[in-house]
Amino acid sequence: MSSTELPGIHAAAAAVAPTVSAVRVAEGEELRSVALAGLSLTVRSRPARAAGPAPALFVHGLGGSSQNWSAMMPLLADALHCEAVDLPGFGDSPPPDDGNYSVTGHARAVIRLLDAGGRGPVHLFGNSLGGAVATRVAAVRPDLVRTLTLISPALPEIRVQRPAVPTAMLAVPGVASLFARLTRGWTAEQRTRGAMALCYGDPARISDEAFRHAVAEMERRLELPYFWDAMTRSARGIVDAYTLGGQHGLWRQAERVLAPTLLVYGGRDQLVSFRMARRASAAFRDSRLLTLPEAGHVAMMEYPEAVAQAFRELLDERGGS
């Protein structure tokens, strides 16, 4: 199959989500569910404050959700109509009917969402796994992407950083169930602190309120019977994407991206190496680079003002649209 072909839906029964705690919706945000063939996606939106805004779509990383963009969307609401999607099996979106959690499968979901809503071309943002997904979308459907903003994108590395190894190990059959058993006694607070220590350059920057919200979201996710399956299969999807070469490879697809691209890398990122910034800058033909020495893996959550300002500069280059 060509890298420009996205696989079709195969008939399969999706796991039914149980009744769990409600997803948090910040003031000014709205949630809606979009039913598509073979999947249902939850979309978090923050309507623009001005008339005639350009559309934007935000795509989260592995283990994240649309809430990862709640700090940055208000900073761009004067210029953009911001929407953030929960990828299949994450946030408030149920698993896909076909169980496909590959990078291509997630890219297909994003493309279907954009096609169904008629919102393209959009300013497309992606973090980590979402960065790999957004790269693939921009490469195979350039008509859907005005600009591309990638924050610590999960593009293939030859030397994976040591703290990223446990995440990659989730792709190995049996490891996720073993880890789930070994950590059965961990509280949601312990899990949240561990995730934040891994993803933030400085966890001390997290407010008490933000930490409480994150713990509540972790508690909610652990109630979902498909939580570990979505994590495992998506981690496997990243590993599989890393091993693809030729026209199927993410670096080759990065070279095909036509949209003006903003790359954001954190100097304290433990999951995506800061040294990859130079290679990414060379791969994307129309790129500009923002480096944040103190940031970790989720710069849009740690330094939303800096990322938003860099995007505004990109927008100004394009005449504000």
Side-chain angles (χ1 to χ4, degrees):
M1 177 179 290
S2 163
S3 62
T4 61
E5 295 174 348
L6 298 176
I9 288 291
H10 301 285
V16 177
T19 300
V20 297
S21 306
V23 171
R24 178 176 178 270
V25 183
E27 184 178 354
E29 293 183 342
E30 301 171 358
L31 281 188
R32 76 178 193 280
S33 180
V34 179
L36 303 168
L39 72 161
S40 177
L41 298 175
T42 296
V43 177
R44 180 181 305 267
S45 64
R46 181 172 285 274
R49 295 190 294 267
L57 184 68
F58 300 78
V59 187
H60 64 80
L62 180 68
S65 76
S66 59
Q67 293 186 62
N68 290 22
W69 301 98
S70 289
M72 202 172 82
M73 288 197 296
L75 304 178
L76 297 172
D78 61 323
L80 302 177
H81 180 90
C82 297
E83 293 193 339
V85 62
D86 285 331
L87 290 173
F90 293 94
D92 206 33
S93 292
D97 285 1
D98 63 358
N100 187 344
Y101 289 98
S102 67
V103 171
T104 296
H106 285 312
R108 181 191 64 224
V110 171
I111 288 171
R112 288 185 171 177
L113 175 66
L114 292 173
D115 278 340
R119 297 185 73 239
V122 301
H123 295 287
L124 185 61
F125 294 71
N127 168 236
S128 192
L129 165 63
V133 170
T135 297
R136 184 148 290 175
V137 171
V140 303
R141 287 293 303 274
D143 59 304
L144 293 178
V145 182
R146 298 187 188 206
T147 67
L148 184 63
T149 298
L150 304 177
I151 302 165
S152 296
L155 300 175
E157 299 184 42
I158 295 177
R159 292 181 296 159
V160 177
Q161 298 203 104
R162 185 176 301 174
V165 171
T167 301
M169 287 296 293
L170 284 176
V172 178
V175 169
S177 58
L178 174 62
F179 182 75
R181 290 196 300 273
L182 292 176
T183 63
R184 186 177 293 116
W186 291 13
T187 66
E189 180 174 337
Q190 288 174 314
R191 295 176 188 273
T192 301
R193 289 194 186 281
M196 289 181 166
L198 184 63
C199 292
Y200 280 72
D202 180 9
R205 291 178 59 88
I206 304 166
S207 69
D208 291 342
E209 181 182 22
F211 181 73
R212 288 195 301 272
H213 291 321
V215 171
E217 175 61 13
M218 179 63 74
E219 291 173 340
R220 190 193 70 82
R221 293 182 189 184
L222 291 172
E223 295 174 4
L224 298 171
Y226 53 80
F227 171 79
W228 285 112
D229 188 56
M231 286 286 291
T232 301
R233 290 173 182 255
S234 291
R236 190 172 301 151
I238 296 174
V239 173
D240 288 346
Y242 274 33
T243 62
L244 290 175
Q247 63 178 342
H248 300 273
L250 283 168
W251 284 115
R252 181 66 62 85
Q253 293 196 320
E255 294 170 354
R256 291 166 50 191
V257 171
L258 301 176
T261 301
L262 170 63
L263 301 165
V264 182
Y265 282 82
R268 293 185 176 181
D269 194 332
Q270 300 182 69
L271 297 173
V272 170
S273 175
F274 187 69
R275 66 177 178 266
M276 300 306 293
R278 180 178 298 179
R279 181 175 181 182
S281 295
F284 290 90
R285 65 181 71 188
D286 184 9
S287 69
R288 58 280 296 143
L289 175 65
L290 171 65
T291 58
L292 297 170
E294 303 302 316
H297 192 61
V298 287
M300 74 287 188
M301 300 173 73
E302 279 192 280
Y303 296 92
E305 294 85 0
V307 178
Q309 179 58 37
F311 172 77
R312 286 183 182 278
E313 293 170 3
L314 173 60
L315 203 61
D316 288 343
E317 291 180 24
R318 290 175 42 86
S321 63

